[in-house]
Amino acid sequence: MAGGKKAKNMGKTAKGKVKEATGKAVGNESLAMKGRAEQAEGDVKQATEKVKDAFKR
């Protein structure tokens, strides 16, 4: 997997976790949901990159 894309996807997942935790801490369900969605997006993109790598080999 390309290092830059991997880092970007992991960053998106981490950013989503922070948003979710912040949303829960302040009682903002909308922010928590956005955080969960961002985590899912990062996870899907990361999985896509892993599949691409599998076909390269």
Side-chain angles (χ1 to χ4, degrees), residues 15-32:
K15 186 177 169 185
K17 286 180 182 182
V18 170
K19 278 186 181 179
E20 182 180 10
T22 302
K24 285 181 178 180
V26 298
N28 186 338
E29 185 60 32
S30 176
L31 184 60

Side-chain angles (χ1 to χ4, degrees), residues 3-57:
K5 288 185 180 180
K6 182 177 181 180
K8 184 177 178 182
N9 296 334
M10 289 179 78
K12 185 170 277 286
T13 301
K15 186 177 169 185
K17 286 180 182 182
V18 170
K19 278 186 181 179
E20 182 180 10
T22 302
K24 285 181 178 180
V26 298
N28 186 338
E29 185 60 32
S30 176
L31 184 60
M33 287 183 357
K34 286 179 185 177
R36 285 192 294 272
E38 198 164 329
Q39 286 178 62
E41 183 181 347
D43 290 342
V44 168
K45 286 185 177 185
Q46 203 162 358
T48 303
E49 289 299 319
K50 287 181 181 181
V51 169
K52 286 181 188 178
D53 284 347
F55 282 109
K56 288 181 183 177
R57 295 177 187 188

